[in-house]
Amino acid sequence: QVQLFESGGGSVQTGGSLKLSCRHSGRSFSYSAMGWFRQAPGKGRQFVATIGWNGGERVYADSVKGRFNISRDNSINTAFLEMNDLKPEDTAVYYCTTDSRGTDALRVAIMRGDGIWGQGTQVIVSS
């Protein structure tokens, strides 16, 4: 059973940066799509970004495009989310998720609330 472990969250001021990491425990990482979603207090799950098994097929939510960058290092079973120019509306718990069927299936799973995700890491952006 795959497990995901997020880290790197914290508190920053508007305009600051953070880099989140997600370690994947299984052998399937190198051929699985990876993604991030977030959930703010009292709100539903929001898609953030996905990346294909080989680092391609990067897709971002419009709200983070140009500010966030998703990447991965298959040699250490880890995906990353680099967040720049953070805004108060980025405040949320960030979760990573994965799907061996590819990025399209992963985005569907994110929106449906399905799939595998970790414990999350809190990001707080103050104005």
Side-chain angles (χ1 to χ4, degrees), residues 58-86:
R58 303 185 193 198
V59 177
Y60 298 91
D62 288 344
S63 59
V64 307
K65 201 171 294 182
R67 300 187 297 121
F68 289 13
N69 181 54
I70 188 171
S71 62
R72 62 190 295 156
D73 186 341
N74 286 358
S75 69
I76 56 172
N77 276 27
T78 302
F80 304 97
L81 185 69
E82 185 175 1
M83 306 184 295
N84 301 305
D85 190 23
L86 283 162

Side-chain angles (χ1 to χ4, degrees), residues 25-127:
S25 70
R27 298 180 180 180
S28 59
F29 179 82
S30 62
Y31 60 82
S32 294
M34 296 295 296
W36 293 87
F37 65 90
R38 64 189 183 187
Q39 190 159 15
K43 296 189 177 181
R45 178 184 285 200
Q46 181 186 26
F47 164 75
V48 174
T50 52
I51 186 170
W53 66 272
N54 62 352
E57 301 178 72
R58 303 185 193 198
V59 177
Y60 298 91
D62 288 344
S63 59
V64 307
K65 201 171 294 182
R67 300 187 297 121
F68 289 13
N69 181 54
I70 188 171
S71 62
R72 62 190 295 156
D73 186 341
N74 286 358
S75 69
I76 56 172
N77 276 27
T78 302
F80 304 97
L81 185 69
E82 185 175 1
M83 306 184 295
N84 301 305
D85 190 23
L86 283 162
K87 304 176 181 181
E89 51 264 42
D90 295 318
T91 294
V93 178
Y94 284 71
Y95 299 88
C96 73
T97 183
T98 185
D99 199 312
S100 60
R101 298 171 297 172
T103 54
D104 289 344
L106 181 55
R107 285 191 295 277
V108 170
I110 289 172
M111 299 315 295
R112 291 177 54 178
D114 296 337
I116 302 168
W117 57 91
Q119 81 287 351
T121 186
Q122 176 77 59
V123 172
I124 299 173
V125 185
S126 58
S127 57

Side-chain angles (χ1 to χ4, degrees), residues 18-31:
L18 285 171
K19 186 173 184 177
L20 308 183
S21 298
C22 172
R23 183 173 62 83
H24 181 293
S25 70
R27 298 180 180 180
S28 59
F29 179 82
S30 62
Y31 60 82

